[in-house]
Structures are given as C-alpha cells and as structure tokens.
Amino acid sequence: MHIKVDFQPVGRHVQVESGTTILEAAQAAGVGLSAVCGGAGSCGTCLVRLSADAPVSPPKAIEREALRPEDLAAGLRLACQVELYGSTRVEVPPESLSAPQRTQVEGEERPVELAPQVRAYDLRLPPATQADLRADYERLSDALVAAGAPRPTRRPLCVLAGLPNLLRENDWGVRVGLRGDEIVNVAAPGTPLLGLAVDIGTTKVAGYLVDLLSGETLAMRGLMNPQIAYGEDVMARIAYAIQHEDGLQVLQQAIVDALNGLARDLCAEGATHFENASHLTLDPSQIVEAVVVGNTAMHHLFLGLPVKQLGLAPYVAAVSAPLDVPASAIGLGLAPGATVHLLPNIAGFVGADHVSMLLATGTHLKDGVVLSLDIGTNTEITLAAHGRMFACSTASGPAFEGAHIRDGMRAAQGAIERVRITDSRLEYQTIGDEPPVGICGSGILDAVAQLRLAGVLNRRGAMDRDNPLVRQGEDGPEVVLAPAPRTRHGRDVVLSRKDVSEIQLAKGAMRAGIEILLEHTGLTADDIEEFIIAGAFGTYIDVRSAVAIGMFPPLPLERFRQVGNAAGIGAKLALLSSAQRAAAEALAARVEYLELTNYADFQHSFAKALSL
Ligand code: FES
C-alpha cells in the first residue's frame, strides 16, 4: 500500500510503501535529515516530532533508552526506528536537518535617531547608615529624581525583589532601566540594556537583538515558525484554534516558546559584539523591551486573542490599535518589567507586519506614486499616491512556497532556485549547489517565465506538446527540469501543466490587486515611480521573470527595489525610536483599506491577469 509522508517545515512530500521508516522516506523525498549513525539508533541526530495519533509503529526499546519519557510523550521519535503505516505528517526540527533552511532576516536599513522607550540611568546611591535610614527603594527613587528622571510611580514587586542584594553587592552602584516613570529593571552597573525586535511570519520568524544604548544590532536570526506543525497557512491555524478546545493556547505556547529560545540564542550570539566580551554574558533578563510584528492572525495567536472572526467574512481583527503588553503576561522571560509593543494592524488580512514594512521602506514619506508589496500566502499591497495610501490583500496562495506544486518545496538546500533556457537547453541552479531535490518559489517563477519566453508555454499556460522539452506525464504534459540521474532522490524533478496553473492563479491574484488599486486611484501602471518588493520570496525572485509572466507590470527595471525583510527592519526602528513608533501608528491610521471581495471588478481583473 502506498502512503503519503509530508515533511514540514521543509515542505516536501513523498509516496512510500507502508512499513518504510521515516528516515528512508526522508531520503526518498530528498529531505536532508541528519543520520550520523546511519540508522543504527545510537546517535539521536534523526529526531523528528509526530502527532499523538500518527499511524506509526510504537516506540522500540532503543528509542525508550535514547529518549526521555517526557520527550516520547511530546511526540519526539527517532526517524530511523519508526515505521510508517499510514499517511503521516513529520515535523523535522531545525537541529535535525543536515543543512539549515534559508530564512530571510536581512533587510534594507535606514538611519534613525536613537530614542528608545526605555532609558538607562547609572546611579551611585548614598549607602544606608544610622543617619540615613531610608529604604532601598526610596533611596533609589530619590537618586533617580536627582539624576533628572521622573519619580517612579509604579513599584513592580519583581524589580523590588532583586534590589537589596544588588545594591549591596555593587557598592550601591546600579543601572536602572526606566520607561517613562516605570522601573523596568535594576541591574549591576554596566549591564547592557537590550531590546528585541521580532517579525512573526506564518512560515518564518526573524529576530533581532539590539543594544538600546548604541542602537547597534548585536545579532539576528531566522527560524521556522513552530506553529507550522498545526497548519501550514493562516486559515489552517485559525481552523486548529477553533476546532481544538486548547487550540489557541497550544498555538500561543508554541510561538512564545520559540521566542524565548530565540531570545536566548540571540543573547549567546550577541555577546561577542562587546569589547571585553569574555567577561560579559548577555541574558534575556537584560531585554527591557520587545517590539513584535506579524500578520493579523500571527499577532492574535501570539497574544492569545480569538481568531475565529478572522476566518469568517467580513474578516475583522479583534484589535487594530497598537498595544503594550507586559512580557511576563504572555510568558516571555525578559526583564522583570519588560513590555512587548505590538504595532497596529490595518485590517483582518493587512497586519502589523505590513505597517512595519511601510515604515521601514518610508512608503508613507514619499511624494510621488509608490507601490509596496509583501509577497506571501497573502500578498499585502499598498499604493501611496500623492499623500494618500490605499491597501488591499490578495489571496496569492502558497504556490510560491512550493505548496500544491508537484515537486515544490521551500527554499532549502537542493531546491532549484534559478532556471534558464538557452538554445532549447534548460539549465538550473540549486540552493547550496546541492543535487536537486525539488523547486522553490523563485525557481518556479523562473521556470514558467523561461518556458513562456522560449515558446514552450502559450499565453494561457498550455504546453506545446511538440516541443522537445515537453513530455506526457501522469498529470498531463510536463517539462523535466532535472533528470533523475542528477537529483538527490533519483527521480525526475518536473514542472507540470497543473503547476503552471497554480502559478497563474497566484500571480493573477497579485496582479489583479495591483490593477484594482491603480484603477481606484485613477492611475496606470506607468505612473508608478517606485515598486518596492519586500519579504523573503520577494528578495530572491528575478524581477525580470515576474515581469515576463505578468505578475508585475512592465516597468523599467530600475523602478523596482527589492528590500529584504522590511517588516523586521520596521520592528527594529520602532524599538529604537519612540518617534518611529508614533509614525507607525499615524501611517496605519492613514491607510485606506479596500476589501477586494467587495470590488465588482475584481473577478474581471483576476481573469485578465491569469494570462502569461
Ligand atoms: S540515525 Fe542515528 S539514531 Fe537515527
């Protein structure tokens, strides 16, 4: 019997015989799962996670020896020991991959005047004596006022708890983190004052550790959003949250745990940036503030807010206003009085990450006509024209992340990321120059564009069956991108006619959104002076291919700007500068949201935008 195995978050799936081990299935799928002992069950590097009801063999003695009972209870298994008896979804933790997945954290920076919400006050207090019997806190409070700070009004117990010992161990010297008139932390003199900026994407999370005294980025890191284990896209996660009694808590806990781990990893990495680094340890307890952005669903799930209404028309958010939430209230282990700031959302499908992107790219500051878009499962688009801003969201689907594409995968090692056809010869390039395993978004886009330019595809996306590159496959006509002898799993990597249709739907939705915004403002594509493309996928695509298939309008190439993870950079700006935070709030209030489903012309624009 054939069963389907779905490896996440790599995004690869494969059909295997019942009884195959997970490690064998991973090898057949071309997933680079670590297996240092070659499957003997002795190295523990092939760790994967399964759901409790996965149709697989029970834990063997060798697994019971290697894994703690709580790990087994949490679904962890050794891939080399588990036999598959039915279709299964396998979660591969990053540490079990032989090569990391590509996550986009870098983005185009812009300078900002340093003015964070939390300020450091370095104080030396007069010691307590028989003649001066003030309590430690009152002594600190007086010293703050003497240093020009406002007198603190709130006295968090968690801060007070550490104060007496701290003062006496440091000869009455102390560094105080003050947010307005609220004490966030007290620490030994010279302790770094750190900030954390996070962009929670549906698939990937990007984090940045910032020194709030210098504005310098000490470390940045990307990781896969662990909520993928509960649903690949926003709608699947909303469904999980609704259908399971504890669904919302499970999803919230998954992302909070990931952010706690991220904070620890960033601290470990960031210490090396300081002089005398050998004496310095960075610790999440030194993080006095965090700024978090994400699409509206990720924002709500992070806060534990209900998401049911996001999945039903008319798709409204629980809250759009910016929020300040105590980090401890959502389980983030930062400084005792640390706050998490969330930038505002615009609509149910245009979230704080888009606001952050607009802030980072300065879209709101431009005089002319600027189109900014962030490509994902949903593509958010803002058209800024002569002082006004209009936004919409289009359901571009997960095709560019490799989903619903026969050999599709996310941007991991061995993914075909570039395709060129010269003189009827098809050439490709893979991530990491590894033997091909599948094809990721930028590769799919290139392949469709190149096949169209070479005349293999017509405007409707049909394949020319007489072309030597085309053969008849199981699902109809297809083109072999990489033949079996050259691939890691020994099977052809192909692009089928059905795959081309998926790309047409994705790019058609995006282009229709652009056209509706232009129409609404009475402009034409040629009026766009700057076309800003943000996000991981947008960073790696070849803009010429996107233009060739009509995903973007045919503008001169110099008008396009690929800016990387602008949402993450915007979060960092809001962390470093109170003025930028206020600017984000003001710009979100200015954006006029267009609901495309209400737009009578959308179906017509969409149908027109399908052609290549
Ligand atoms: S490959 Fe070593 S334990 Fe599974």
Side-chain angles (χ1 to χ4, degrees):
M1 183 180 80
H2 273 95
I3 55 175
K4 186 180 163 206
V5 193
D6 190 9
F7 289 94
Q8 292 299 341
V10 185
R12 288 289 295 146
H13 50 82
V14 69
Q15 302 265 356
V16 293
E17 290 285 335
S18 178
T20 306
T21 67
I22 294 179
L23 180 60
E24 288 163 347
Q27 286 157 348
V31 173
L33 184 60
S34 294
V36 171
C37 70
S42 56
C43 71
T45 57
C46 64
L47 216 56
V48 293
R49 187 177 283 113
L50 303 173
S51 66
D53 56 357
V56 297
S57 56
K60 295 180 184 163
I62 205 165
E63 289 181 273
R64 294 196 181 280
E65 264 169 44
L67 300 171
R68 297 175 307 170
E70 57 267 38
D71 291 337
L72 279 170
L76 290 176
R77 302 290 301 270
L78 295 179
C80 62
Q81 302 300 315
V82 182
E83 285 155 18
L84 297 151
Y85 300 132
S87 292
T88 308
R89 180 190 179 91
V90 179
E91 191 196 335
V92 185
E95 55 277 14
S96 298
L97 283 173
S98 51
Q101 265 192 254
R102 187 157 73 181
T103 48
Q104 175 74 27
V105 279
E106 290 89 0
E108 211 174 276
E109 306 263 354
R110 78 177 166 88
V112 65
E113 199 177 321
L114 188 60
Q117 294 263 309
V118 179
R119 290 187 57 193
Y121 288 86
D122 291 318
L123 306 173
R124 189 155 298 279
L125 312 189
T129 62
Q130 287 296 348
D132 180 358
L133 292 172
R134 284 175 297 166
D136 289 348
Y137 172 75
E138 280 65 26
R139 193 175 301 273
L140 178 76
S141 175
D142 291 344
L144 278 168
V145 174
R151 186 173 292 280
T153 53
R154 289 214 244 144
R155 303 164 193 92
L157 194 57
C158 47
V159 171
L160 297 179
L163 187 61
N165 282 349
L166 181 81
L167 290 176
R168 285 160 185 84
E169 280 166 11
N170 291 285
D171 196 21
W172 299 87
V174 64
R175 173 170 276 179
V176 183
L178 206 61
R179 180 178 198 268
D181 59 3
E182 188 182 338
I183 297 179
V184 176
N185 74 334
V186 288
T191 303
L193 198 72
L194 303 176
L196 177 70
V198 182
D199 169 30
I200 305 176
T202 310
T203 311
K204 292 165 189 166
V205 178
Y208 309 80
L209 185 70
V210 178
D211 178 358
L212 292 178
L213 297 176
S214 67
E216 198 190 343
T217 302
L218 303 173
M220 53 179 139
R221 216 166 229 269
L223 62 122
M224 303 308 286
N225 186 333
Q227 292 174 338
I228 284 182
Y230 306 96
E232 261 191 86
D233 56 26
V234 165
M235 281 306 181
R237 302 232 187 123
I238 292 175
Y240 185 89
I242 297 170
Q243 288 160 8
H244 296 78
E245 203 180 328
D246 60 349
L248 190 55
Q249 290 93 308
V250 166
L251 291 172
Q252 184 190 26
Q253 198 58 51
I255 189 65
V256 168
D257 288 349
L259 294 203
N260 278 327
L262 179 67
R264 284 193 295 273
D265 291 346
L266 287 168
C267 283
E269 196 178 320
T272 54
H273 274 253
F274 286 91
E275 280 177 32
N276 304 324
S278 56
H279 303 299
L280 187 82
T281 44
L282 297 188
D283 185 273
S285 68
Q286 297 155 359
I287 299 175
V288 293
E289 195 176 35
V291 171
V292 172
V293 301
N295 61 48
T296 312
M298 293 307 113
H299 168 284
H300 283 30
L301 291 174
F302 171 62
L303 293 176
L305 292 173
V307 288
K308 189 173 177 184
Q309 76 290 347
L310 285 177
L312 300 167
Y315 313 107
V316 292
V319 59
S320 280
L323 295 173
D324 286 302
V325 183
S328 56
I330 36 179
L332 283 182
L334 308 183
T339 304
V340 183
H341 179 80
L342 292 109
L343 290 187
N345 295 310
I346 292 173
F349 279 94
V350 183
D353 54 347
H354 192 63
V355 173
S356 191
M357 177 274 230
L358 295 174
L359 180 74
T361 54
T363 301
H364 59 303
L365 302 172
K366 318 252 178 187
D367 281 335
V369 179
V370 180
L371 190 126
S372 297
L373 85 179
D374 201 336
I375 305 169
T377 312
N378 280 289
T379 297
E380 298 92 22
I381 315 171
T382 288
L383 180 66
H386 310 304
R388 290 179 74 182
M389 288 192 287
F390 301 90
C392 69
S393 166
T394 66
S396 39
F400 288 125
E401 294 197 338
H404 310 314
I405 301 292
R406 179 142 133 221
D407 281 317
M409 66 184 288
R410 294 211 174 89
Q413 300 283 316
I416 294 178
E417 59 169 346
R418 286 273 172 270
V419 176
R420 286 288 170 269
I421 298 175
T422 6
D423 302 330
S424 299
R425 268 200 32 242
L426 193 145
E427 287 165 356
Y428 59 78
Q429 177 191 314
T430 61
I431 296 177
D433 280 327
E434 293 283 318
V437 181
I439 180 162
C440 67
S442 58
I444 298 167
L445 186 66
D446 262 11
V448 174
Q450 289 287 305
L451 292 169
R452 171 73 187 118
L453 292 171
V456 181
L457 298 176
N458 67 17
R459 282 181 66 80
R460 291 193 319 283
M463 287 182 174
D464 174 4
R465 290 170 190 265
D466 296 330
N467 190 293
L469 287 174
V470 178
R471 73 176 186 195
Q472 185 60 27
E474 285 167 28
D475 300 332
E478 63 186 25
V479 171
V480 177
L481 301 177
R486 293 173 69 183
T487 63
R488 193 195 297 170
H489 43 46
R491 291 191 316 278
D492 295 337
V493 172
V494 305
L495 188 83
S496 71
R497 170 66 181 100
K498 269 175 71 188
D499 296 338
V500 175
S501 298
E502 290 288 342
I503 295 307
Q504 286 176 281
L505 293 173
K507 74 100 186 174
M510 216 179 296
R511 181 65 183 273
I514 295 171
E515 292 302 322
I516 297 273
L517 286 176
L518 286 169
E519 199 183 306
H520 186 80
T521 44
L523 298 169
T524 65
D526 203 41
D527 295 318
I528 300 171
E529 293 156 52
E530 194 176 354
F531 193 111
I532 298 173
I533 310 153
F537 171 64
T539 304
Y540 294 112
I541 59 170
D542 185 336
V543 169
R544 287 168 301 186
S545 293
V547 170
I549 67 164
M551 184 162 102
F552 298 158
L555 300 172
L557 284 181
E558 60 276 14
R559 293 197 204 170
F560 291 95
R561 208 174 112 208
Q562 288 164 286
V563 295
N565 187 353
I569 301 301
K572 214 162 67 168
L573 290 177
L575 184 64
L576 292 172
S577 157
S578 302
Q580 291 298 316
R581 202 174 289 194
E585 187 175 355
L587 90 81
R590 271 178 56 204
V591 174
E592 298 169 55
Y593 174 67
L594 297 190
E595 175 54 56
L596 293 182
T597 49
N598 290 343
Y599 222 87
D601 234 17
F602 181 73
Q603 279 312 329
H604 174 67
S605 291
F606 177 57
K608 220 169 115 190
L610 289 176
S611 65
L612 296 173

